[in-house]
Amino acid sequence: MRPKNYSQMEKPISTGKYRINNNNNNNNNHNNVWFIVPLFFILCFVLLCFDYSALFTDTDEPSFSIPDVTQKSIPSEFTKGDNFSRKLDDPSPSCSGRYIYVHDLPYKFNFELLDNCYLITRGTEKDICPYIENYGFGHAIKSYENVLLKESWFTTNQFMLEVIFHNKMMNYRCLTNDSSLASAVFVPFYAGLDMSRYLWGFNISVRDSSSHELMNWLVEQKEWRRMSGRDHFLVSGRIAWDFRRQTDNESDWGSKLRFLPESRNMSMLSIESSSWNNDYAVPYPTCFHPRSVDEVAEWQELMRSRKREYLFAFAGAPRPEYKDSVRGKIIDECLESKKQCYLLDCNYGKTNCDNPVNVMKVFRNSVFCLQPPGDSYTRRSIFDSILAGCIPVFFHPGTAYAQYKWHLPKNHTSYSVYLPVKDVKEWNIKIKERLIEIPEERVVSLREEVIKLIPRVIYADPKYGSKGNEDAFELAVKGMLERIEEVREMMRQGKDGSDGFDDSDDYKYTFSPYEPQILA
């Protein structure tokens, strides 16, 4: 690839610039020229072959250029056509085993989607273009109403993970332009944004077209051949199920990206995983994107010191179209409880829940936050409640326990309450009564664990990050590198790297593993 300031080398010798009129010196002049010209080319060849890096670095790690990151729209924040890389801020920590190579994908797979963002929400009422500003965080919130910190809160769309993650990756300290050094390969395909253009009114061949083109491109790259793609990963801002259409019926939802033979060799990070082993869940983007560890600590202390007026809260809307949804029961009980339950109505057509000020007002004033499944198992409200220090109450293991293994504690009783409800017809609990039974000392312990989780579930400013204070992005990258290394170790031992890689775990979302620990 040519550097940005590339220009052809000017000729150092110009024929005819200086004329020698002394005819007696013509022969000597010609002899000098024939001597100088080959000498010049020899010197040029030596200079081109010389490794200048030895003059500027005293370590065995490659030297990188820092990308120019601005606070403008997303297309200008990235350097199109370049493989993003940066020099280490501190050269002492080794990047061995942590290098990531970023594929320089054709423009159509990411930046073109942002340049034509008005097409992404075709078939819906929302204009998604404003949400791609500020690294994918959206516009900064100016009216914080003494509820939010004055800065670092944005109108972030919950489906912007692809853009946010790409921008964060651009500032990852261990990027490399040399794919032979890389432990993992990142594929910056905006799968969710691409599919969002075609969810309504398009046939399956259109919905699947980009997926086929992407895989055709990837398998031709030298990086793919090393592990047949098992060291590759991509990120989706939609749930993983959206990319696992089971049939070719035109009426079926989503694309077939994750069922393409080549794609099955890759891993996907998404806001909700499927039951397949090569799909991994990472937190939904919230609206809090701090610029420093101090901002996080300040927010944590504010939530720790809050006096909470309500026993429990729910922010959401009923789902009458889903016959087994417990949301209707939850809303009814919240209305019955009156002064003990804080209800934020997010019914269709209302914008209450799009404003983080409204959401934080509810959650910061409540001890427990109810988190039933919605259109899918998971919801962004889980992470909004954690931000507010509000103890989440789950009704299904697929909402959190079977999902965010790199970000939430394996011992789910340390930070949440679990009230298993298999079917709304089996609803035989009173939420208020169950929550009142929990001793105060346990409530204090649960809240403290929730507040400690805040740094782990946020996507901080791309320049944020320090050892021991990993945000959601850094934990996801760490988890992905560890998973790829497990596969690589299997291959070193002569085993089949595909063994179990893309198997389906049919028991992932069952209730049985969790029922003995309901309120332990």
Side-chain angles (χ1 to χ4, degrees):
M1 180 183 295
R2 290 181 177 178
K4 293 180 181 178
N5 296 326
Y6 175 88
S7 61
Q8 289 187 336
M9 185 179 293
E10 294 179 358
K11 295 181 180 179
I13 298 176
S14 176
T15 59
K17 183 174 181 181
Y18 301 103
R19 290 188 184 274
I20 300 175
N21 296 320
N22 189 341
N23 293 331
N24 294 330
N25 292 331
N26 278 349
N27 291 334
N28 289 335
N29 183 59
H30 284 301
N31 289 336
N32 288 337
V33 170
W34 284 110
F35 172 77
I36 291 173
V37 169
L39 177 62
F40 166 73
F41 283 109
I42 291 171
L43 287 173
C44 286
F45 178 79
V46 171
L47 289 172
L48 287 171
C49 293
F50 189 78
D51 182 7
Y52 284 91
S53 64
L55 299 175
F56 300 101
T57 178
D58 56 1
T59 71
D60 59 355
E61 293 182 351
S63 177
F64 301 132
S65 59
I66 300 176
D68 180 19
V69 181
T70 69
Q71 289 291 340
K72 298 179 182 179
S73 65
I74 290 299
S76 64
E77 284 161 11
F78 291 108
T79 306
K80 296 179 184 177
D82 285 348
N83 206 12
F84 309 127
S85 56
R86 59 174 297 171
K87 186 175 181 178
L88 299 180
D89 296 324
D90 179 359
S92 59
S94 172
C95 283
S96 177
R98 296 191 295 132
Y99 281 118
I100 292 180
Y101 177 82
V102 180
H103 265 309
D104 182 13
L105 295 184
Y107 173 70
K108 65 172 295 181
F109 292 119
N110 41 44
F111 297 113
E112 183 178 286
L113 295 166
L114 301 183
D115 289 342
N116 296 284
C117 57
Y118 61 93
L119 297 175
I120 292 173
T121 49
R122 186 162 35 191
T124 68
E125 295 178 357
K126 279 194 174 182
D127 176 11
I128 210 164
C129 294
Y131 294 109
I132 69 175
E133 303 288 335
N134 295 318
Y135 312 112
F137 296 160
H139 295 307
I141 293 173
K142 298 179 180 178
S143 180
Y144 50 90
E145 300 181 24
N146 294 321
V147 174
L148 313 176
L149 296 180
K150 291 184 179 181
E151 298 181 13
S152 299
W153 285 81
F154 299 80
T155 56
T156 305
N157 184 281
Q158 66 176 344
F159 299 122
M160 282 292 111
L161 181 62
E162 295 152 359
V163 180
I164 292 171
F165 204 96
H166 195 182
N167 255 316
K168 294 278 288 181
M169 184 63 77
M170 189 171 84
N171 284 269
Y172 176 65
R173 69 165 46 244
C174 292
L175 287 189
T176 178
N177 281 329
D178 183 353
S179 61
S180 67
L181 294 176
S183 294
V185 178
F186 177 54
V187 181
F189 171 43
Y190 297 167
L193 297 184
D194 174 76
M195 191 177 66
S196 294
R197 296 181 297 175
Y198 306 124
L199 283 175
W200 296 273
F202 291 87
N203 60 39
I204 58 172
S205 63
V206 174
R207 279 183 267 158
D208 294 343
S209 60
S210 293
S211 299
H212 285 290
E213 291 173 19
L214 173 72
M215 298 316 304
N216 289 340
W217 186 89
L218 281 175
V219 298
E220 293 297 321
Q221 309 307 307
K222 65 178 181 180
E223 291 77 20
W224 184 270
R225 294 191 290 271
R226 184 168 56 184
M227 290 179 64
S228 299
R230 292 186 186 90
D231 57 350
H232 285 50
F233 72 100
L234 71 160
V235 175
S236 167
R238 300 186 67 91
I239 66 173
W241 301 100
D242 286 350
F243 305 94
R244 290 190 177 275
R245 192 184 69 246
Q246 301 275 352
T247 75
D248 287 334
N249 295 332
E250 296 289 349
S251 59
D252 281 0
W253 179 263
S255 81
K256 218 170 183 177
L257 168 63
R258 299 297 284 138
F259 283 135
L260 298 182
E262 302 85 0
S263 176
R264 294 175 66 169
N265 287 1
M266 290 197 298
S267 297
M268 174 185 274
L269 307 179
S270 59
I271 54 178
E272 177 179 321
S273 67
S274 68
S275 59
W276 276 265
N277 290 338
N278 56 346
D279 287 340
Y280 301 89
V282 296
Y284 282 74
T286 64
C287 295
F288 183 42
H289 308 288
R291 297 172 298 175
S292 68
V293 174
D294 289 342
E295 283 188 7
V296 177
E298 180 183 358
W299 179 258
Q300 286 177 297
E301 191 53 39
L302 285 172
M303 296 304 101
R304 190 175 282 119
S305 61
R306 285 293 306 174
K307 292 184 178 180
R308 299 172 188 262
E309 304 173 29
Y310 296 89
L311 177 64
F312 63 109
F314 176 63
R319 290 290 188 270
E321 63 271 31
Y322 301 124
K323 63 179 182 179
D324 291 334
S325 174
V326 300
R327 285 188 172 214
K329 292 284 188 180
I330 288 172
I331 291 172
D332 290 343
E333 185 162 340
C334 193
L335 292 171
E336 291 171 6
S337 301
K338 296 180 180 178
K339 292 184 179 181
Q340 289 183 295
C341 183
Y342 198 153
L343 177 65
L344 180 62
D345 186 1
C346 302
N347 212 344
Y348 298 113
K350 298 187 177 181
T351 59
N352 295 342
C353 294
D354 289 338
N355 187 340
V357 173
N358 294 336
V359 174
M360 287 298 114
K361 277 182 180 178
V362 175
F363 289 170
R364 72 174 188 165
N365 284 319
S366 305
V367 178
F368 298 98
C369 289
L370 309 183
Q371 305 295 347
D375 296 327
S376 66
Y377 290 118
T378 64
R379 56 199 310 250
R380 180 165 84 168
S381 180
I382 300 167
F383 303 101
D384 289 333
S385 69
I386 290 174
L387 275 185
C390 187
I391 302 162
V393 179
F394 298 116
F395 299 84
H396 193 289
T399 304
Y401 305 150
Q403 298 285 346
Y404 309 100
K405 70 174 188 176
W406 297 327
H407 298 82
L408 300 181
K410 184 176 181 180
N411 177 12
H412 64 268
T413 63
S414 67
Y415 74 97
S416 67
V417 172
Y418 180 47
L419 302 177
V421 179
K422 295 183 177 69
D423 194 305
V424 70
K425 290 176 284 189
E426 297 178 5
W427 185 274
N428 57 2
I429 60 173
K430 283 290 184 180
I431 298 173
K432 180 175 69 175
E433 293 176 3
R434 300 295 292 275
L435 298 179
I436 288 175
E437 291 174 359
I438 302 174
E440 180 60 26
E441 59 270 22
R442 175 158 166 74
V443 170
V444 172
S445 175
L446 286 167
R447 183 184 304 124
E448 182 59 26
E449 288 303 311
V450 169
I451 290 171
K452 287 179 181 178
L453 289 174
I454 291 174
R456 301 173 63 89
V457 302
I458 56 174
Y459 294 92
D461 182 284
K463 295 182 289 296
Y464 166 102
S466 61
K467 190 174 182 179
N469 290 284
E470 296 96 342
D471 70 350
F473 165 83
E474 289 159 329
L475 289 171
V477 169
K478 179 181 177 181
M480 197 71 264
L481 286 169
E482 290 175 353
R483 174 59 183 135
I484 292 171
E485 183 56 28
E486 290 173 2
V487 177
R488 187 176 284 113
E489 181 59 29
M490 288 177 60
M491 297 174 70
R492 289 193 195 106
Q493 297 174 8
K495 299 177 182 178
D496 186 355
S498 65
D499 187 22
F501 185 86
D502 61 339
D503 288 356
S504 178
D505 181 359
D506 295 332
Y507 298 99
K508 187 174 182 179
Y509 297 109
T510 58
F511 286 81
S512 55
Y514 307 96
E515 289 184 284
Q517 307 178 51
I518 293 175
L519 288 175

